Amino acid sequence: MPLSSVHVALGRVVLVRLRLEARTGFPDLDWHCRGVEVRRLCDRQEEGAGLQHQGAEHFPCSRWLRSVDGDVELRNGDSESLLLHKSSEFAFSTNSLMSCGGLPCRWRTFAEGVPHCVDMTSLKELGPNLSYTRQSPGINLQYLRGFAERAESWSSFTELETMFSHNGSQNTVAKYVQAHWAEDWFFGYQCLNGCNPLMVRQTRLLPPNLSINSDILCPFLPDGSSLEQELERGSIFLLDYEMLEGVPANVINGKQQFLAAPLVLLHLNQEGELKPIAIQLQQAPGPQNPVFLPSDPGPDWLLAKTWVRCSDFQCHQLSSHFLRTHLLGEVCCTATLRQLPEVHPLHQLLMPHIKTTLQINIQARASLLAANGVFDKAVACGLEALPVLLSRATERLRYRSLCVPDDLADRGIHTLKHCYYAHDALRVWTALHRFVSGWVDVYYLGDQDVEQDSELQSWITEIYTHGFLQLPHSGCPQSFQTKPELSQFVTMVIYCCSALHAAVNFSQVDFDLWMPNCPASMMHPPPQTKGMLTEDEILSILPDVNSTCNLLITLFLLSQPAADYVPLCQYREPVFSSGAPRRLVEKVQAELRAISDEITDRNKKLELPYDYMSPDRIENSVAI
Ligand SMILES: *[C@@H]1O[C@H](CO)[C@@H](O)[C@H](O)[C@H]1NC(C)=O
Ligand SMILES: *[C@@H]1O[C@H](CO)[C@@H](O)[C@H](O)[C@H]1NC(C)=O
Ligand SMILES: *[C@@H]1O[C@H](CO)[C@@H](O)[C@H](O)[C@H]1NC(C)=O
Ligand SMILES: *[C@@H]1O[C@H](CO)[C@@H](O)[C@H](O)[C@H]1NC(C)=O
Ligand SMILES: *[C@@H]1O[C@H](CO)[C@@H](O)[C@H](O)[C@H]1NC(C)=O
Ligand SMILES: [Fe+2]
């Protein structure tokens, strides 16, 4: 069926729409269509091909057309484009759904109230398509293993420093942390640019549970100002670890451990430094729950801050890291395997970003999070606490908080000059969003196509059900009505599995190596009084020698570079190597390079560079 020639440049033809119309006076006959061929006569030069038929694009049809059927839509015969306006004959057969190692992928409940996981417990079940290998660790951990028997407190800060000088001295960030961990400005710095930049938020109101009056805080505010004025100005920030309230703490080396659920007020001063001004370690106010202040005796204030850092460690590892990157990635991967056929354009776009999550999470559940794993042996949130904290974090998970522009604005940190995390996150998000929107534009002509893509709708329903546990307050979409909604969601998935994981993963060795900066557990209850503590006594509250080393060994093992490290938006799959996908990939790669360059320049001017979100250091998927 020859089409008349077209005189304007055609982009990539992804869809051909045919309609059989009966002319009045002619019989209304059915026609058989074998297929449609679109030939280009002029724009072949770019690929160096001849002028002849190499440029033909094929749209297979092989069926009878009837005038009563109205429009029939055909997609390009090669795998990269797709018929989205599909009539029933063209629906993808479920046979083409990719399986996990040949078996259909099923869901499993790993813990009540926590996103569901893939129903597999061994890597064998994954099959070759979803497995990968990481380089085996080349580091020598013998020195740390030498501490493995010592179920006792560190004898002095000097002893801790000696261990650190062996195993942390090549790490310039860790050395910086060791030098500044006790300073107030550095405490605030870590809320913005440390390994867990997801907790701190601007507040205009004092939390009702924090028992302070504004007079008490006056000395820590600018001269002549008041707490009310500072709140109004937007320079008061809050850390609230209420999700830890009442979580049962672990027993380590036969000793009961403790958890707190602190509330912390911070003030942003004229120099742009964020400094803590009040710390209450438990949620419910009362005489046994004093509010610690910068004017308290040095050891009391330091211990209060250390308690907050320990609380942050739990939320960082389980909420920011495991839930928001690892589990979210696994939910999306499982939903993709179950609901989107391999030729679906979102299957193709997403898989490179999510396919490694199944293996790493199966391994994590079998080791790190299992009996005798590092949480069991060395972290205050042990095996009893894990499901409790994870389900609380899930209940508190908001879709808005996973979307960078919304999250930064909601937390009021988008305008902070010294929040490098916020700045870099927004730039990376914007580049990814442009890329994803371009991808969606190639395959979906209008909102209606999104609405009518039943596979896509099943996919998001599955994620809402198994990932967000049908909690409407999560704000997770239950269906997609428009292209922008779809682009936003897909950007979020790619962002969380790549950039967010880099922000919370790469940074952990740097900030956790000097143990007092991030103790994984505390051996005494939160202090109820002030003025009775010496700095050395703090050591008897911090983790034992061998639990410290246990954690460090895990961190070192997790820090091994991947043998097949793939940076953000570098793709090996053939679908990305031609046509519209290739152009989109080239564009986003150029944008990401520009972001890397800008970050490199910025970092030259910083005493402590922030490069976790530099796109060349961001891995394409969660693989560790
Ligand atoms: C692995 O992927 C290839 C290509 O997509 C597919 O043909 C094959 O069936 C898959 N293998 C398994 C075990 O799923
Ligand atoms: C610490 O060492 C003791 C033996 O002295 C051992 O029983 C215990 O499991 C070790 N603890 C950790 C956290 O490795
Ligand atoms: C720890 O220090 C020891 C002794 O200097 C060294 O042999 C070992 O390689 C270090 N380990 C790491 C992980 O840096
Ligand atoms: C105040 O503390 C109580 C008791 O711990 C807790 O149940 C409640 O959620 C807290 N309120 C706020 C606003 O955090
Ligand atoms: C996680 O961080 C370590 C460094 O701490 C790095 O070697 C590793 O490649 C990172 N993994 C990912 C997936 O970002
Ligand atoms: Fe990770």
Side-chain angles (χ1 to χ4, degrees), residues 201 203-214 227 231 236 238-240 242 261-265 280 282-286 289 291:
R201 59 171 55 241
T203 183
R204 306 271 176 180
L205 294 170
L206 285 185
N209 277 9
L210 183 64
S211 69
I212 46 160
N213 60 54
S214 29
L227 187 58
L231 282 164
I236 300 294
L238 174 71
L239 286 170
D240 187 352
E242 57 82 28
L263 282 163
V264 184
L265 278 194
Q280 180 181 298
Q282 302 287 14
Q283 291 285 311
N289 186 20
V291 175

Side-chain angles (χ1 to χ4, degrees), residues 98-99 101-102 128-129 342:
M98 195 174 162
S99 58
N129 288 344
E342 254 177 274

